[in-house]
């Protein structure tokens, strides 16, 4: 199974997503559409990243209005690279940090986990609780994946109607 579309299935809950991701974790799911699944929560999205992120190229979680920045916390790690990280294979490899210019300020961010090395398209359409914090995490993920040669990074990001995003 490479594509799964469950858009507007209003009965999809975190428990449902846990069951689905258990079934999909060993598959090569590339596209997952959960647009307007009203009951999808941060825990459900984190489970998708952890269980299905390896091959995931496109994720549509637009209009899932319960989602917050916590959905994306799993993509960011403040610990050193794990043993599965390509950098961990290099002797005396430095732990990378990334400096991102956010308008008038810069932020140095910790290394990110390689949970979604192929993610290139992400729909966050009309998620009222998503803030600049999520955008920072996503841009760090994209730049890390690009620098490691695992993907060209996120090439399409839809944040239309995310009212808590400031710039």
């Amino acid at each position: 199974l490479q594509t799964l579309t469950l858009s507007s299935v209003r009965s999809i809950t975190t428990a449902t997503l846990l069951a689905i991701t258990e079934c999909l974790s060993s598959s090569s799911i590339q596209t997952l559409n959960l647009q307007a699944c009203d009951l999808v929560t941060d825990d459900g999205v984190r489970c998708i990243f952890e269980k299905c992120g390896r091959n995931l190229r496109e994720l549509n979680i637009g209009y899932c209005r319960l989602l917050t920045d916590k959905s994306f916390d799993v993509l960011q790690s403040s610990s050193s690279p794990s043993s599965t990280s390509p950098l961990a294979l290099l002797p005396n490899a430095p732990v990378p940090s990334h400096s991102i210019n956010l308008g008038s300020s810069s932020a140095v961010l910790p290394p990110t986990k390689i949970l979604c090395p192929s993610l290139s398209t992400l729909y966050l359409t009309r998620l009222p609780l998503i803030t600049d914090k999520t955008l920072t995490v996503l841009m760090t993920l994209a730049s890390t994946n690009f620098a490691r040669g695992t993907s060209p990074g996120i090439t399409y990001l839809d944040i239309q109607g995310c009212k808590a995003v400031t710039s």
Side-chain angles (χ1 to χ4, degrees):
L1 181 65
Q2 293 182 339
T3 300
L4 179 60
T5 299
L6 298 169
S7 61
S8 299
V9 178
R10 306 230 187 265
S11 60
I12 298 286
T13 64
T14 297
T16 309
L17 278 179
L18 290 173
I20 290 171
T21 56
E22 280 300 316
C23 294
L24 295 177
S25 64
S26 62
S27 78
S28 58
I29 190 78
Q30 295 177 7
T31 303
L32 182 57
N33 185 340
L34 298 170
Q35 180 179 342
C37 292
D38 295 335
L39 301 177
V40 171
T41 65
D42 295 330
D43 289 335
V45 173
R46 285 194 302 262
C47 188
I48 291 166
F49 290 141
E50 290 173 341
K51 301 280 187 177
C52 304
R54 184 172 40 97
N55 297 309
L56 196 61
R57 292 183 182 167
E58 180 176 325
L59 178 62
N60 187 339
I61 49 176
Y63 297 92
C64 295
R65 298 178 188 273
L66 298 177
L67 300 181
T68 71
D69 293 329
K70 292 178 183 178
S71 292
F72 302 92
D73 286 348
V74 72
L75 297 177
Q76 185 174 351
S77 171
S78 59
S79 61
S80 59
S82 70
S83 59
T84 58
S85 166
L87 287 177
L89 301 175
L90 299 173
N92 303 318
V95 175
S97 63
H98 302 281
S99 177
I100 303 231
N101 187 351
L102 298 172
S104 62
S105 66
S106 292
V108 176
L109 302 168
T112 56
K113 296 178 184 179
I114 305 178
L115 286 180
C116 298
S118 301
L119 187 64
S120 62
T121 303
L122 183 60
Y123 294 88
L124 303 178
T125 316
R126 299 213 184 271
L127 300 182
L129 305 175
I130 295 297
T131 69
D132 294 339
K133 178 184 176 197
T134 290
L135 297 183
T136 301
V137 169
L138 292 173
M139 293 306 104
T140 302
L141 174 70
S143 65
T144 301
N145 287 346
F146 181 77
R148 291 178 176 165
T150 57
S151 82
I154 297 174
T155 57
Y156 184 83
L157 176 62
D158 184 345
I159 57 169
Q160 175 185 319
C162 294
K163 294 180 180 183
V165 173
T166 60
S167 55

